[in-house]
Amino acid sequence: MGDEAIADSIRLAQRGDPAAYERLVDRFGGRVYGFLYRMTGSRQDAEDLLQEVFVRVVRTIADYQHDGRFEAWLFRIAANLVRDRIRRIKRAPKIISDAAVSSGSEEETGGSSPGGMGASTGPASAALESREDLEALNAALATLPEPEREVIMLRHFSELSFKDIAIALNCPLGTALARAHRGLGHLRNLMQSADHSAADGAAERISNKTRGQTT
Amino acid sequence: MNTEDNKLHQEIAAGERWLTSFAAPRPSPQAIERTKLAVRAELARSPSPVSARRWTAWRGVLGAAATIALAATVSLYSVRTHQFAGRPTETESVDPWIPEAEDEAGRLALLDEDLSILEEWSASQQWSVGSSLYEALQGALENSGGENGETGVMRPLSEEQRAVQSTA
């Protein structure tokens, strides 16, 4: 869906065309959901918020003047709603359970492509390793302060510039950059620590198994 | 951009590349369908945003026109009320006084007429009578003292004085 098609859909949506709204949901719903999911750590919360985001779009799109920055406007709505939800429930994102990860329809193995829909499957071992990585990532995200997590997830899912993110979050550009830098560094350190712990654990298991075979 | 800023942007870019290696969560088809249903329900509940905005614009125009009309009416009414201030606004309030005024005018006319008559008569008569009386009184005063010593007005009149008094 190119920029022109998006502009047409927005124009039709402003006139109340339901099909235009559905095209916007198809185009941006996946990425908005991913952002909401990473922010809340809950699939149910993310789905509820996804509906709220697009209902808010219906109510306020008449005031939107398209200047090619529909994503910034859309993710600003999503960021405000998720921030309100997090403050209301006053909890950090949960670690995604194995059951939720193994549902198959949620996660995409291999590389990440925020656009598009659907899931692709790969070798079982690769999928298992990917799930463990995802669990570790979710656990690491849960330890980040909310402002840092917000900037990183907005950047990752909306593909907005830091300038647009700063406008969406109503903070200076330097603050947005600092949060992203600090948050990404922290995440990588945590993941590396988790990798080392996982590697140590795997080595210990192999060692115990070998000892058991020799005795 | 200085060296530190360059380093900052490079480290951020590296972190973002690392993050893209992780799978992105996807919504279920049911979640997407529920979102579309929620959108349709909201559209059914509220009017078209653009038509609502147009109606709002029309309401603004109508409201402004109504305000101007009201202001003009109030101004016109206040001006007309000021022009007629102090005057009898109802002719019916003056009518009860007219008959009495007419009666009074009639009486005054009659009195005026009588006064005119008296003036004319006095012009022809009064002065001669007055002058005769004056002379009579003057003579009486000169010939003061009556049979009984009355003086002044107490002195009885002579025959000539009585004659003059009878004609007046």
Side-chain angles (χ1 to χ4, degrees):
Chain A
M1 198 177 185
D3 292 343
E4 199 171 321
I6 292 173
D8 288 340
S9 296
I10 292 169
R11 193 165 45 249
L12 291 170
Q14 287 176 326
R15 293 176 185 170
D17 182 12
Y21 280 107
E22 291 184 359
R23 286 195 292 275
L24 292 174
V25 171
D26 288 334
R27 175 67 176 83
F28 297 105
R31 287 160 54 189
V32 173
Y33 174 84
F35 168 73
L36 298 170
Y37 185 82
R38 288 281 187 240
M39 288 299 295
T40 60
S42 164
R43 183 175 55 171
Q44 188 60 49
D45 285 344
E47 289 181 3
D48 292 343
L49 285 169
L50 184 64
Q51 294 179 31
E52 285 188 42
V53 166
F54 281 95
V55 166
R56 185 71 63 89
V57 167
V58 172
R59 291 175 184 169
T60 59
I61 199 169
D63 300 327
Y64 169 74
Q65 293 185 351
H66 187 54
D67 54 355
R69 302 169 77 172
F70 179 74
E71 284 181 66
W73 181 75
L74 178 65
F75 275 90
R76 188 187 309 181
I77 293 174
N80 288 335
L81 285 173
V82 77
R83 199 180 302 132
D84 292 342
R85 176 66 67 94
I86 289 172
R87 286 173 186 169
R88 194 157 56 238
I89 61 179
K90 292 180 182 176
R91 63 176 171 84
K94 295 185 299 187
I95 298 172
I96 307 299
S97 65
D98 286 341
V101 170
S102 63
S103 65
S105 62
E106 283 193 56
E107 305 292 344
E108 180 178 296
T109 56
S112 166
S113 54
M117 298 285 295
S120 61
T121 58
S125 59
L128 180 59
E129 184 178 340
S130 178
R131 288 199 192 101
E132 288 176 352
D133 289 341
L134 287 171
E135 288 183 11
L137 176 63
N138 291 329
L141 278 171
T143 64
L144 287 183
E146 183 189 332
E148 292 177 10
R149 187 169 65 246
E150 193 174 40
V151 170
I152 293 171
M153 290 300 107
L154 265 180
R155 176 76 172 168
H156 181 65
F157 287 100
S158 70
E159 299 174 2
L160 294 173
S161 66
F162 278 107
K163 183 180 176 183
D164 288 338
I165 290 172
I167 293 171
L169 299 180
N170 196 26
C171 68
L173 174 60
T175 302
L177 287 167
R179 287 175 183 172
H181 182 257
R182 195 164 51 241
L184 285 167
H186 193 190
L187 267 178
R188 294 188 78 169
N189 291 336
L190 287 172
M191 291 300 290
Q192 286 171 358
S193 299
D195 286 343
H196 290 151
S197 299
D200 290 345
E204 188 174 348
R205 283 195 297 274
I206 292 170
S207 172
N208 290 338
K209 190 175 179 182
T210 305
R211 204 177 301 118
Q213 286 177 344
T214 56
T215 56
Chain B
M1 192 182 292
N2 56 29
T3 307
E4 285 187 9
D5 289 339
N6 280 337
K7 184 181 177 186
L8 180 72
H9 284 275
Q10 286 172 2
E11 289 177 356
I12 290 175
E16 290 176 341
R17 281 195 297 273
W18 165 81
L19 193 59
T20 56
S21 63
F22 293 90
R26 292 282 180 265
S28 62
Q30 294 81 7
I32 292 297
E33 194 56 37
R34 283 195 290 270
T35 300
K36 292 178 180 177
L37 286 174
V39 166
R40 285 185 177 272
E42 183 65 23
L43 282 170
R45 184 167 39 247
S46 58
S48 166
V50 173
S51 64
R53 190 172 50 185
R54 286 177 184 163
W55 174 234
T56 302
W58 270 112
R59 275 197 291 189
V61 170
L62 289 174
T67 304
I68 292 170
L70 180 63
T73 303
V74 169
S75 300
L76 188 62
Y77 178 77
S78 63
V79 167
R80 293 176 74 178
T81 303
H82 177 71
Q83 285 177 347
F84 289 105
R87 297 188 194 177
T89 55
E90 297 291 336
T91 56
E92 288 77 10
S93 63
V94 180
D95 288 342
W97 297 98
I98 293 177
E100 292 188 17
E102 289 178 347
D103 294 342
E104 188 68 21
R107 283 195 293 274
L108 288 173
L110 289 174
L111 286 174
D112 192 30
E113 187 177 340
D114 292 341
L115 188 60
S116 300
I117 295 171
L118 284 172
E119 284 178 351
E120 291 175 2
W121 179 82
S122 65
S124 61
Q125 298 292 330
Q126 291 281 42
W127 282 113
S128 62
V129 171
S131 64
S132 298
L133 279 174
Y134 178 75
E135 290 173 0
L137 286 171
Q138 194 70 21
L141 285 171
E142 291 172 357
N143 301 323
S144 62
E147 295 178 355
N148 298 320
E150 299 94 342
T151 60
V153 297
M154 300 304 294
R155 191 167 63 85
L157 296 173
S158 64
E159 289 185 1
E160 182 180 354
Q161 290 172 339
R162 282 197 211 101
V164 170
Q165 193 180 20
S166 64
T167 57

